[in-house]
Amino acid sequence: MSGDREDPLAYGDYNGRSEESREYEEGERGLIGDTFRRLRGKRPSNQGYNDPSNSQQPTSGLDGIFNKLHGAVHEIGSELNQKISGRSGTHSHTHVDTQCGDGLHASQHRYGSFATQRSGNDVKWFVDGCGYMWAVSRALEQSRESIWILDWWLSPELYLRRPPARNEQYRIDRMLQAAAQRGVKVNIIVYKEVTQALTRKYLSPTLPAYLHSLIPRPPGPFASMTSSLTRFGLEAFFASLEHVESKNSLMNSVLSVCSSHTKHALENLHPNISVFRHPDHLPDAQTLQSSFISSLQNLSLSAKTAATLPADALKVIYGMNEDVILYWAHHEKLCIVDGKIAFMGGLDLCYGRWDLNQHPIADCHPSNIDETVFPGQEYNNARVLDFQDVSHWQNNKLDRTISSRMGWSDVSISLRGPVVEDLRAHFVERWNFIYAEKYNVRKDVRYSRLTFNQNEAGAYRPPGPQSYQQPGGYVPQVPQQYPPYRPQGPGSYGQDQGYQGAGSSYQSSQGFGQYYPPPSSSSRNVDEEPVVEDSARGLSSSEFSSRYHHHQSMEGVDEAVESVRGRFNDGVQRIGNNLEHHSHLHGGMQDAGIPCQIVRSCSKWSHGVPTEHSIANAYIDIIQRSQHFVYIENQFFITATSDAQKPVKNRIGAALVERILRAARVGEKYKVIVVIPAVPGFAGDLKDDSSLGTRAIMEFQYNSINRGGHSIMESIANAGFDPTQYIRFYNLRNYDRINCSASMREAEQRSGVDFSDAQKQYDDAVELPASYPSQGDDGQARDYTMARQNYNQYQQNISHLAQRRGLGTGRWDSVSECYMLGGTDIRSVPWENGDHTEMDAFVSEELYVHSKVLIADDRIVICGSANLNDRSQLGDHDSEIAIIVEDPTPVDSYMNGRPWRATKFATTLRRQIFRKHLGLLAPQQMDRPNQNFEPIGVPNIYDFDSAEDRLVADPLSDEFLNFWNSRAHQNTFAFGRIFHPVPHDDVRTWKDYEKFYEYFFHAADREAEGKDEKKNPARHEWGHVVAENFSPGPQGVREMKDLLSSIKGALVEMPLLFLIKEDIAKEGVSLNAFTEEVYT
């Protein structure tokens, strides 16, 4: 890899630009800003941002005119935006001290949450979708009263267990239908995507004059000039809108979701199933005013953007611009079963989320199509082609014999106990808010309000009135004891689940494996008193305060405090009082359960309540109070360190800088590790116009991390410290091999059927809607045999396929095990050329990070649906839900080589994630469930003190950090040489991009997107090996596999130098005072 890894550009000067250059680059993009820059002249020469010669130049008269004009127009848009949204400047979480100054918060709970912290809970983690969705399926099949689901997207045809051919009853629509038939009431809320377009009936000829009359006249000598320009622009703007609408009266939705399909596919199954879609997007007068004027402020003068302006303006009004959704979404992922068991985190119950720990990205099974894991549209790579037309399950345009899927890395949890009461309250509030707003007038008996009497069991009560911002100890009241969830025996389908009692073997179609299941329902009722599974349960080790109180005796507390503080010598000063007090009342730590608190982001539009951003408050406070280490894994990383990084408002970045500098100034060893996606969106060729939204997000991310003059790394460097010693960023990437070998060619020759044709018919069958009629109009049973003729013919002729050293048995349909613990060395994996050589069969893709988790000091965890950006953190944008888990169960560990008392939930989750990323977990087997597949009540299993555990136990030790960084570096080097992925540190300009990437793959990108590139065929298919880097023939394959064998796990370095000499979002994207918020 070229370039110095300690290049100052990685955490310093933004493209070597001067302060003057950055000054106007940070300004508005649009009519006034562009004109101002053109009239000022060319850009100044490149100089370092610390260059003393880079002094402030006096403002010229022309500069002053345009500054005032620009300011006046921007002020109009800002004022209207605030008035229409009902937001004040101080409320948008621009404060680092977690305290809002607008007085809108009624809650005095910690972090300003609607919910207090509650004890007496049981919590369980799930890393990736396989185990999580198995657990959800277990809870759904045992449901007896209610199922409540809140999702951004829900796919009715999603299989919760795999492979589908052996788990047809575990498709979510069938599971919900079965539950409804046995009397369970199913309530579902999904985000309603933008689908409608503006029609000319809204473009009244009087509307421009009306909107112009609403604009306050700015003071100053240029008021008349500004007013005239605005009026002229409005009239021209509306004329162009009418013209566009006359040609294209309906804009197609750019979203891959289809909430209408979700609603009707599920509601058609049974009257006990009710689905709400929200919000509606039909524009009202206020929306029109805000959108038009905000769009008008910054009209671009470039020929390209001027030509597309009217269509873009229409999209702005309706909350969409190319591939990025404008306005805001319901983003929670929540499932509550019978009001007792909850599932939440980062995983929607939708296409693309189910995955294994090893993340296979190939799914061709020439020896048995029934082994398909990702049928139909589930075999998806959004980097190549996002989900399209999902209501027609059979329409999958991604060729699995050529293209890989994209892996999905995520974290979710299951919980039970008093804290579920707050999740129930959140769902009921949302349901009733939407019902009153939208469904009450329909008078449909299917829909009704939900009633709910919240139980305050487990709530902590303080000794006196305090605000949530103040630190201090808490004194818990006696919690109501909730029994842990116990999975029942055979499900409603009457199938044996393989459970024979404790210590029995679990039988699967692939053989036997020792498994210790929970007792069946025959031996114990789920509502009986709990049996303690884990002997170490108690009160929170949190330093943070809670605001409830009870009056119980404190006898003997002083002596116990000293004892506990002696054991917990790590600085958690208040843990002693809490632990001893609760032990005195309840007879032991194990009875108390895990203290948890629900936090959220919501506001008037999403929930009918004053704005709450308790998730952001929790992030900031936990970072500030962390002692040694913070791990962040998130889909996005957009944050600010100061007001200079407008439009970004959340101050999580400022909290990171403050905590790092506090450690640096006193010589403490302190680390922050951040894992995010390489490309935080689903763009193909990043230079293509369709990727403008993704590039805008990437620009905001890089400006948060190491560019722009005010980023986290620059702020640390400006204080005189090396930021790479305190914070580092990483991505994930993996590889696989598509089994298009001689075994596929033999199967096609034997059957006389093309594999792709047979696969398509299989996909059509397994994704057939549950409501699809079993009888025709004539009352006769439908026969689907003819519709599957090619599939049946193919399957009947492959029973005696040659084994070909495993290629004909399915053993090597994926090679993803090779970079995991105990996996076969890729150099030993056999191959026989078929229609493709082995070199052409290997594929690679970014492993998409979708988790939303923070772990501090191996003691406290935040996990939920909230991304690390303004959309999720501000409260008045996307709606979100998260949980703070403070398990007091002690685990003896190490921090920087010294004894450290970690807590069980936090440290096992962090170690499990690290081991997966480093390739220190064995490949997960989808049909051999262990305890980590079960819902809450069956505890997580983790192999403490194994060799692999010891490698990751101390996240602050030099040994671990060297191992982590060296593995990331080696993986990055190998992937770069073999596959030429972007982003990459060798690509610092668009010219570099053309040489490193487009030269090999550009035409493949466009072909995958349905664009004709026959005149210039691609040198290589998307994501395939760049063969030019290796010798011809078998020798090149050996060279390539030697390098592949050095890849372990999926961890790679984040390329902080990618396009650092370019304005990433400049090419074609026009950001303005309205649209820029969408990308943050």
Side-chain angles (χ1 to χ4, degrees):
M1 180 180 298
S2 64
D4 185 358
R5 300 302 303 158
E6 299 302 325
D7 192 320
L9 288 175
Y11 56 89
D13 184 13
Y14 176 40
N15 191 25
R17 294 178 185 176
S18 65
E19 291 290 342
E20 182 183 11
S21 173
R22 282 200 307 277
E23 177 186 346
Y24 70 77
E25 283 298 324
E26 290 170 357
E28 294 295 319
R29 300 169 186 253
L31 175 63
I32 302 300
D34 290 351
T35 305
F36 183 28
R37 288 190 278 274
R38 283 169 172 76
L39 292 176
R40 282 183 86 168
K42 64 180 182 179
R43 295 181 177 180
S45 59
N46 288 345
Q47 296 175 342
Y49 68 92
N50 288 322
D51 192 335
S53 65
N54 195 20
S55 58
Q56 184 72 28
Q57 298 296 321
T59 304
S60 68
L62 187 59
D63 289 354
I65 292 174
F66 276 92
N67 273 329
K68 290 182 179 180
L69 181 59
H70 181 208
V73 175
H74 180 70
E75 184 179 357
I76 294 170
S78 298
E79 288 180 0
L80 281 172
N81 196 22
Q82 287 187 13
K83 289 178 181 178
I84 291 167
S85 65
R87 288 188 282 133
S88 66
T90 60
H91 190 69
S92 296
H93 202 62
T94 58
H95 38 277
V96 73
D97 62 356
T98 76
Q99 186 158 359
C100 295
D102 55 17
L104 289 180
H105 294 296
S107 174
Q108 291 299 306
H109 297 147
R110 185 176 65 160
Y111 305 131
S113 173
F114 77 108
T116 187
Q117 190 181 33
R118 293 176 183 256
S119 66
N121 305 290
D122 197 9
V123 189
K124 181 176 184 176
W125 48 254
F126 297 90
V127 177
D128 297 318
C130 175
Y132 175 77
M133 293 189 185
W134 182 291
V136 171
S137 75
R138 175 75 79 187
L140 292 181
E141 71 180 344
Q142 302 303 327
S143 62
R144 293 296 177 263
E145 298 175 3
S146 63
I147 297 171
W148 295 352
I149 299 175
L150 179 56
D151 261 343
W152 178 75
W153 182 21
L154 189 151
S155 301
E157 296 80 25
L158 175 74
Y159 283 86
L160 298 178
R161 300 187 190 184
R162 310 292 169 98
R166 297 200 294 272
N167 292 283
E168 293 184 359
Q169 72 271 35
Y170 291 108
R171 207 173 75 174
I172 193 167
D173 54 355
R174 294 171 184 149
M175 296 203 75
L176 294 177
Q177 181 182 38
Q181 288 171 347
R182 61 178 182 264
V184 176
K185 185 67 177 75
V186 181
N187 297 76
I188 299 171
I189 303 172
V190 292
Y191 165 62
K192 181 180 179 182
E193 74 282 12
V194 178
T195 57
Q196 294 175 302
L198 185 68
T199 56
R200 280 183 288 171
K201 68 180 181 180
Y202 290 106
L203 300 179
S204 166
T206 62
L207 190 53
Y210 170 66
L211 290 178
H212 187 258
S213 69
L214 294 175
I215 301 174
R217 290 179 62 86
F222 299 102
S224 178
M225 176 181 176
T226 303
S227 180
S228 298
L229 283 174
T230 304
R231 177 60 184 268
F232 173 77
L234 277 169
E235 292 176 351
F237 190 56
F238 273 84
S240 62
L241 286 175
E242 289 202 63
H243 175 74
V244 169
E245 275 294 302
S246 67
K247 302 295 183 182
N248 185 8
S249 59
L250 184 64
M251 294 292 180
N252 293 324
S253 172
V254 297
L255 265 178
S256 57
V257 304
C258 183
S259 61
S260 177
H261 170 64
T262 301
K263 177 179 177 67
H264 296 297
L266 294 178
E267 288 191 340
N268 287 343
L269 298 177
H270 199 278
N272 273 351
I273 302 176
S274 304
V275 182
F276 281 0
R277 299 194 300 152
H278 188 264
D280 287 332
H281 299 277
L282 192 66
D284 55 23
Q286 289 182 327
T287 303
L288 285 169
Q289 296 163 23
S290 175
S291 300
F292 281 137
I293 295 173
S294 297
S295 300
L296 175 67
Q297 291 176 49
N298 295 278
L299 307 186
S300 174
L301 291 181
S302 68
K304 182 175 182 180
T305 54
T308 61
L309 172 64
D312 286 343
L314 286 173
K315 294 176 183 180
V316 166
I317 292 167
Y318 274 86
M320 58 187 186
N321 188 347
E322 296 296 338
D323 61 328
V324 178
I325 310 308
L326 306 186
Y327 292 141
W328 319 120
H330 291 303
H331 197 240
E332 298 100 323
K333 299 92 172 60
L334 177 63
C335 177
I336 306 173
V337 179
D338 291 339
K340 298 177 181 178
I341 307 154
F343 299 87
M344 61 182 296
L347 284 161
D348 291 284
L349 298 176
C350 68
Y351 283 155
R353 274 51 170 176
W354 191 97
D355 213 341
L356 294 157
N357 288 161
Q358 65 269 32
H359 302 285
I361 58 174
D363 194 31
C364 272
H365 304 273
S367 62
N368 185 3
I369 293 178
D370 285 347
E371 294 298 318
T372 298
V373 180
F374 304 95
Q377 294 214 33
E378 264 274 75
Y379 191 82
N380 172 261
N381 187 336
R383 293 272 286 120
V384 178
L385 186 69
D386 203 357
F387 295 105
Q388 293 186 357
D389 195 19
V390 294
S391 60
H392 295 88
W393 66 96
Q394 69 275 23
N395 291 347
N396 182 22
K397 300 178 182 178
L398 191 65
D399 187 345
R400 69 180 64 223
T401 67
I402 296 174
S403 298
S404 75
R405 60 179 288 271
M406 182 174 69
W408 197 271
S409 183
D410 221 325
V411 176
S412 286
I413 61 175
S414 177
L415 60 150
R416 180 182 176 89
V419 74
V420 176
E421 294 289 295
D422 298 318
L423 294 173
R424 293 176 66 200
H426 180 77
F427 185 92
V428 170
E429 288 173 0
R430 176 72 51 79
W431 181 271
N432 289 343
F433 166 67
I434 297 173
Y435 175 79
E437 181 183 84
K438 180 176 179 179
Y439 288 92
N440 185 32
V441 297
R442 302 190 182 189
K443 306 303 180 184
D444 189 328
V445 295
R446 183 190 297 267
Y447 309 123
S448 62
R449 289 176 57 86
L450 294 176
T451 58
F452 171 64
N453 296 317
Q454 189 168 6
N455 190 325
E456 292 192 0
Y460 294 155
R461 300 189 179 278
Q466 297 173 333
S467 66
Y468 77 89
Q469 294 88 1
Q470 297 171 347
Y474 53 74
V475 184
Q477 73 176 70
V478 180
Q480 175 180 327
Q481 292 300 316
Y482 278 66
Y485 173 76
R486 297 291 186 186
Q488 299 182 14
S492 60
Y493 302 98
Q495 295 191 354
D496 184 5
Q497 303 301 318
Y499 295 113
Q500 305 296 327
S504 68
S505 294
Y506 174 84
Q507 183 177 1
S508 74
S509 61
Q510 300 297 316
F512 293 85
Q514 194 68 15
Y515 173 57
Y516 299 94
S520 68
S521 58
S522 61
S523 62
R524 185 180 175 279
N525 187 279
V526 297
D527 288 325
E528 291 175 3
E529 288 299 310
V531 176
V532 176
E533 299 261 1
D534 192 332
S535 62
R537 288 291 161 84
L539 279 176
S540 170
S541 62
S542 166
E543 290 187 279
F544 312 127
S545 60
S546 179
R547 300 301 161 227
Y548 284 118
H549 170 61
H550 66 82
H551 306 284
Q552 300 288 344
S553 171
M554 293 280 289
E555 296 175 4
V557 72
D558 292 336
E559 179 181 350
V561 166
E562 291 303 318
S563 172
V564 175
R565 282 180 177 170
R567 293 173 59 201
F568 289 76
N569 56 3
D570 49 61
V572 186
Q573 300 176 359
R574 298 173 180 84
I575 187 173
N577 285 299
N578 302 330
L579 283 170
E580 172 58 23
H581 187 64
H582 199 280
S583 178
H584 178 73
L585 290 174
H586 305 296
M589 288 170 51
Q590 65 268 26
D591 296 330
I594 300 176
C596 300
Q597 183 183 12
I598 302 300
V599 287
R600 65 185 183 180
S601 294
C602 60
S603 63
K604 184 177 180 180
W605 84 261
S606 61
H607 212 75
V609 298
T611 298
E612 178 182 330
H613 50 67
S614 51
I615 297 175
N617 294 343
Y619 263 80
I620 289 173
D621 194 44
I622 290 171
I623 289 169
Q624 289 177 327
R625 295 172 183 264
S626 61
Q627 299 180 55
H628 301 288
F629 171 79
V630 167
Y631 176 68
I632 295 172
E633 185 168 305
N634 207 286
Q635 184 183 2
F636 296 99
F637 193 87
I638 299 176
T639 185
T641 63
S642 69
D643 286 337
Q645 287 176 282
K646 291 179 179 179
V648 182
K649 299 179 180 69
N650 81 81
R651 294 300 182 81
I652 295 171
L656 287 168
V657 170
E658 184 275 333
R659 182 62 189 92
I660 288 171
L661 291 181
R662 183 157 31 104
R665 286 168 180 148
V666 297
E668 289 179 348
K669 192 173 185 180
Y670 180 86
K671 299 289 183 180
V672 178
I673 291 178
V674 181
V675 174
I676 58 177
V679 179
F682 300 144
D685 184 352
L686 287 171
K687 199 175 181 182
D688 194 80
D689 288 343
S690 63
S691 303
L692 300 181
T694 298
R695 292 209 310 273
I697 295 172
M698 292 180 72
E699 181 176 276
F700 281 121
Q701 290 202 154
Y702 278 119
N703 286 346
S704 300
I705 295 169
N706 71 319
R707 304 181 193 177
H710 305 284
S711 65
I712 291 172
M713 300 186 86
E714 288 171 296
S715 297
I716 298 168
N718 289 339
F721 302 99
D722 179 358
T724 63
Q725 296 300 307
Y726 297 93
I727 183 168
R728 291 207 174 195
F729 294 81
Y730 303 86
N731 305 142
L732 301 178
R733 173 167 285 275
N734 62 333
Y735 74 87
D736 211 334
R737 192 184 67 180
I738 299 172
N739 190 2
C740 49
S741 65
S743 62
M744 181 178 289
R745 183 169 59 188
E746 180 186 352
E748 290 178 331
Q749 291 172 347
R750 282 190 174 210
S751 64
V753 176
D754 183 79
F755 171 83
S756 295
D757 292 339
Q759 178 73 54
K760 185 179 186 308
Q761 289 189 354
Y762 168 85
D763 291 346
D764 292 352
V766 299
E767 293 200 299
L768 199 68
S771 59
Y772 207 74
S774 59
Q775 295 181 340
D777 295 336
D778 56 0
Q780 298 297 314
R782 287 183 180 270
D783 184 4
Y784 296 109
T785 304
M786 293 302 295
R788 302 182 67 182
Q789 183 176 4
N790 288 341
Y791 160 78
N792 291 329
Q793 183 175 334
Y794 183 94
Q795 289 288 96
Q796 291 166 4
N797 286 276
I798 59 174
S799 56
H800 300 291
L801 199 66
Q803 290 195 6
R804 298 182 181 275
R805 296 181 295 163
L807 290 168
T809 64
R811 172 68 179 87
W812 296 117
D813 290 346
S814 170
V815 298
S816 57
E817 70 169 61
C818 295
Y819 47 78
M820 301 298 287
L821 180 66
T824 303
D825 190 312
I826 188 63
R827 293 170 292 189
S828 303
V829 177
W831 179 264
E832 291 183 15
N833 285 342
D835 293 338
H836 299 273
T837 66
E838 186 174 17
M839 183 81 81
D840 291 334
F842 279 98
V843 288
S844 177
E845 185 54 88
E846 77 162 309
L847 173 51
Y848 197 74
V849 178
H850 193 257
S851 317
K852 297 93 170 53
V853 65
L854 180 149
I855 304 172
D857 295 331
D858 274 2
R859 286 182 170 172
I860 186 166
V861 175
I862 305 176
C863 181
S865 65
N867 292 315
L868 206 161
N869 59 6
D870 277 1
R871 289 192 62 134
S872 290
Q873 298 289 336
L874 294 190
D876 56 359
H877 291 16
D878 292 351
S879 61
E880 308 284 3
I881 196 80
I883 188 170
I884 304 169
V885 181
E886 300 173 78
D887 181 6
T889 309
V891 172
D892 290 329
S893 186
Y894 291 90
M895 193 70 72
N896 195 23
R898 299 175 181 176
W900 176 255
R901 188 62 58 89
T903 63
K904 187 176 181 181
F905 182 86
T907 196
T908 55
L909 174 58
R910 197 267 306 165
R911 295 183 194 191
Q912 184 85 356
I913 292 171
F914 277 23
R915 286 174 61 178
K916 188 192 81 161
H917 295 342
L918 292 166
L920 299 177
L921 287 181
Q924 195 173 25
Q925 300 185 56
M926 72 188 81
D927 52 1
R928 293 190 179 184
N930 59 23
Q931 288 176 248
N932 290 342
F933 284 58
E934 294 295 340
I936 192 64
V938 180
N940 287 117
I941 53 171
Y942 183 81
D943 56 341
F944 283 109
D945 207 37
S946 64
E948 294 74 31
D949 173 62
R950 291 194 294 271
L951 282 172
V952 301
D954 185 347
L956 216 59
S957 70
D958 290 338
E959 293 78 8
F960 164 76
L961 293 170
N962 290 336
F963 178 67
W964 175 275
N965 287 321
S966 62
R967 183 151 287 190
H969 183 74
Q970 177 57 38
N971 289 350
T972 304
F973 171 77
F975 278 119
R977 178 167 170 76
I978 298 171
F979 297 103
H980 279 222
V982 289
H984 195 276
D985 269 336
D986 285 351
V987 178
R988 305 189 185 187
T989 66
W990 286 118
K991 188 164 289 187
D992 294 338
Y993 183 88
E994 293 171 0
K995 294 178 181 178
F996 183 84
Y997 178 80
E998 284 196 329
Y999 176 81
F1000 300 103
F1001 300 110
H1002 180 62
D1005 295 340
R1006 298 181 67 80
E1007 287 174 2
E1009 294 166 5
K1011 301 172 183 177
D1012 187 8
E1013 288 291 328
K1014 295 179 180 178
K1015 295 181 180 178
N1016 299 298
R1019 290 173 174 83
H1020 301 287
E1021 297 291 346
W1022 169 283
H1024 285 244
V1025 176
V1026 178
E1028 289 86 336
N1029 291 341
F1030 303 96
S1031 301
Q1035 175 60 28
V1037 174
R1038 286 192 292 271
E1039 293 170 359
M1040 183 264 297
K1041 293 179 79 170
D1042 282 342
L1043 195 52
L1044 272 179
S1045 69
S1046 70
I1047 295 175
K1048 302 297 179 184
L1051 188 71
V1052 293
E1053 298 167 321
M1054 180 174 180
L1056 297 183
L1057 304 179
F1058 178 67
L1059 292 178
I1060 198 166
K1061 296 182 179 180
E1062 301 283 357
D1063 181 351
I1064 299 178
K1066 181 183 177 182
E1067 296 293 326
V1069 69
S1070 181
L1071 303 178
N1072 58 47
F1074 175 75
T1075 61
E1076 63 190 1
E1077 285 193 70
V1078 176
Y1079 301 99
T1080 63

